[in-house]
Amino acid sequence: AYLATRNDPLTTKSTSNNFPWTEPIRLFRLIGIWMSRLFRPVPLIFLFVSLLTFAGLTYLAVLWYGEIALQEGLLYHFSRVDHRHNYSMYWYWIYLARARMASNLQFMGRILLLPQFVLLVYSSLGLAPFHLGLAIFVQTYLFVTHNKVITAQYFTWYLCLLPLCTDVLRLTVRVQRSVVLLLLSIGIWLGSAYCLEMQ
């Protein structure tokens, strides 16, 4: 009910190749529509219940386990930089920076969150009004691929969302080859890491 429908004047003229980021005025109009839809009773109730649940569970964890639960469960991920078992595009930079600028490494780790944030906001405004399933997949994909630390299980975060956008994605031979190459490269990477550390 809160998403743009086919009768929405902002989406009727668009095609799949004409997302609003090519038309800045339409993008700002979409932002206005999204803001007006978010400040309705049902989304606000959902927001407050989610925040209360998150805050309540965090408080219980801190109460039972101390401040280490807050540090290692939440805050650590904002400054985490790790070059081991890492598929991230930043892994080599992190590896080199550990020796040279150890004091500034956590600050740089926080700076790397900015591109991730910008891409997530931009993709939500451009995709969600047209195809929610694709928007969820793309946002999860962008979150994972622009993360500072990516391990093998992170791929399941977005691969499990592929069925939501099967009407948009076509399973061509090229896509099938890409998936096979991805799985093969993950296997080689993890196999060599296992041999290095466990053998």
Side-chain angles (χ1 to χ4, degrees):
Y2 295 101
L3 295 176
T5 61
R6 291 181 183 173
N7 298 326
D8 194 321
L10 293 176
T11 58
T12 49
K13 296 178 184 176
S14 66
T15 64
S16 61
N17 297 327
N18 190 17
F19 286 118
W21 47 70
T22 61
E23 303 171 22
I25 294 173
R26 250 181 90 228
L27 180 62
F28 288 118
R29 288 175 64 200
L30 270 176
I31 291 171
I33 287 175
W34 273 98
M35 295 306 284
S36 67
R37 290 177 179 173
L38 288 176
F39 292 106
R40 291 184 179 174
V42 172
L44 287 175
I45 290 170
F46 179 77
L47 173 69
F48 289 125
V49 168
S50 300
L51 288 176
L52 284 174
T53 303
F54 178 75
L57 292 174
T58 303
Y59 175 75
L60 286 176
V62 170
L63 196 64
W64 285 337
Y65 300 107
E67 196 171 321
I68 195 167
L70 184 65
Q71 181 61 36
E72 292 190 12
L74 295 174
L75 302 178
Y76 170 67
H77 296 283
F78 288 106
S79 58
R80 178 182 180 192
V81 281
D82 183 13
H83 66 280
R84 295 184 182 127
H85 315 300
N86 196 351
Y87 295 94
S88 172
M89 65 179 98
Y90 304 117
W91 80 269
Y92 192 62
W93 173 84
I94 291 169
Y95 174 73
L96 293 176
R98 288 182 85 82
R100 296 185 180 184
M101 44 185 282
S103 59
N104 294 333
L105 202 55
Q106 287 189 348
F107 173 73
M108 291 304 290
R110 291 186 187 105
I111 293 293
L112 293 176
L113 293 172
L114 275 176
Q116 192 177 37
F117 176 76
V118 169
L119 285 170
L120 289 175
V121 170
Y122 206 57
S123 63
S124 68
L125 293 172
L127 288 175
F130 300 97
H131 196 292
L132 184 61
L134 181 63
I136 293 170
F137 170 78
V138 167
Q139 285 189 329
T140 309
Y141 178 80
L142 287 173
F143 176 78
V144 169
T145 55
H146 288 81
N147 211 345
K148 300 180 300 284
V149 177
I150 304 173
T151 55
Q153 69 270 20
Y154 283 42
F155 295 110
T156 61
W157 290 9
Y158 63 82
L159 289 177
C160 69
L161 297 171
L162 271 176
L164 294 176
C165 45
T166 51
D167 58 326
V168 178
L169 302 175
R170 285 181 237 115
L171 196 61
T172 61
V173 175
R174 184 178 177 185
V175 172
Q176 292 173 1
R177 287 180 187 160
S178 300
V179 170
V180 168
L181 285 173
L182 173 69
L183 294 176
L184 188 63
S185 64
I186 291 171
I188 292 170
W189 184 281
L190 291 178
S192 61
Y194 175 80
C195 292
L196 176 68
E197 294 192 9
M198 302 297 182
Q199 297 293 329

